[in-house]
Amino acid sequence: MIQNIKNWFFALVDDYMHARYGKRKSVLFKDHPKEVIEIGAGYGANFRYLKSGTRVIAVEPNSSLRDILKKRAERFGIILEIHHGGAEELLIPDNHVEMVLGSLVLCSVNDPIQVVSEIKRVLKAGGRFAYLEHVKAREGSWVYGIQRMVRKPWKCFFDGCHVTRDTGKLIQNSGFKNVDQQAFNSRTIFVPIIPHISGVAVK
């Protein structure tokens, strides 16, 4: 019974996330190599945008998601390797892959600067970091005012999620050779996460 409820919940979340981000993710992740690293793989929401036969090193500290990650990988033909450590210290060699994926994860890691540094370390020269994140709103805007008002309870309720983290600026200042980044607003009733960015940073 509990497992059926979990399956129903993840299916509902997956449909919602695909409707909100599917087209943008399809563009971000296209032409990906045969092996990628995904930080904060969660329940495997991004597997549907990858070619069957892709090898994914999935970095996900929540060990309770292991089974659903495996099921999603099987469903989409993904060759899966799960790492349960945090993204602040990737147990992966330097210059290892041509692409790292991350979506809606840098808002909740403990040390985003260290995570981005690790992403750069494991990327080969010319490798790409493809990302999608919700971010801090423009200071002085009404959305930013709401973000500041709810940031503490939001962080507690949503597993460490920071709504005022300036992730876009962080990535742009992280020493990538090139950052192609776009800002957009998500059509959501959850006001604190309306502002978003997506982009590709090249090492």
Side-chain angles (χ1 to χ4, degrees), residues 82-130:
I82 302 175
H83 289 204
H84 283 307
E88 286 87 354
E89 188 175 355
L90 299 175
L91 301 179
I92 299 167
D94 296 354
N95 308 308
H96 187 67
V97 292
E98 295 176 351
M99 193 171 196
V100 175
L101 315 179
S103 63
L104 304 176
V105 61
L106 291 177
C107 60
S108 58
V109 299
N110 292 326
D111 188 342
I113 295 176
Q114 177 61 24
V115 171
V116 174
S117 176
E118 280 290 274
I119 290 170
K120 284 181 59 186
R121 180 183 66 78
V122 300
L123 279 172
K124 296 179 180 179
R128 296 170 287 161
F129 171 41

Side-chain angles (χ1 to χ4, degrees), residues 35-61:
E35 180 182 47
V36 301
I37 296 171
E38 181 176 7
I39 60 167
Y43 65 90
N46 291 328
F47 291 171
R48 66 160 73 215
Y49 308 109
L50 306 179
K51 301 181 184 74
S52 178
T54 301
R55 183 172 186 270
V56 177
I57 301 173
V59 180
E60 176 49 60

Side-chain angles (χ1 to χ4, degrees), residues 77-196:
I78 299 300
I79 302 167
L80 183 64
E81 178 182 326
I82 302 175
H83 289 204
H84 283 307
E88 286 87 354
E89 188 175 355
L90 299 175
L91 301 179
I92 299 167
D94 296 354
N95 308 308
H96 187 67
V97 292
E98 295 176 351
M99 193 171 196
V100 175
L101 315 179
S103 63
L104 304 176
V105 61
L106 291 177
C107 60
S108 58
V109 299
N110 292 326
D111 188 342
I113 295 176
Q114 177 61 24
V115 171
V116 174
S117 176
E118 280 290 274
I119 290 170
K120 284 181 59 186
R121 180 183 66 78
V122 300
L123 279 172
K124 296 179 180 179
R128 296 170 287 161
F129 171 41
Y131 58 91
L132 183 152
E133 300 284 344
H134 70 78
V135 294
K136 171 184 172 183
R138 177 180 55 82
E139 292 189 17
S141 68
W142 68 275
V143 175
Y144 180 64
I146 291 177
Q147 286 180 332
R148 283 182 54 83
M149 185 167 52
V150 305
R151 59 184 173 177
K152 289 184 178 180
W154 188 279
K155 180 182 176 183
C156 293
F157 191 77
F158 289 102
D159 198 23
C161 175
H162 294 73
V163 292
T164 56
R165 190 167 274 178
D166 197 349
T167 304
K169 186 176 181 180
L170 185 157
I171 294 172
Q172 289 175 326
N173 292 340
S174 293
F176 284 98
K177 183 178 180 180
N178 182 63
V179 178
D180 182 9
Q181 181 171 283
Q182 299 83 41
F184 68 99
N185 288 329
S186 176
R187 295 179 180 178
T188 176
I189 61 173
F190 301 105
V191 173
I193 57 169
I194 285 177
H196 278 63

Side-chain angles (χ1 to χ4, degrees), residues 5-19 43:
I5 292 173
K6 286 183 177 180
N7 291 341
W8 172 83
F9 173 76
F10 281 117
L12 183 66
V13 169
D14 192 52
D15 288 342
Y16 175 83
M17 299 294 276
H18 182 56
Y43 65 90

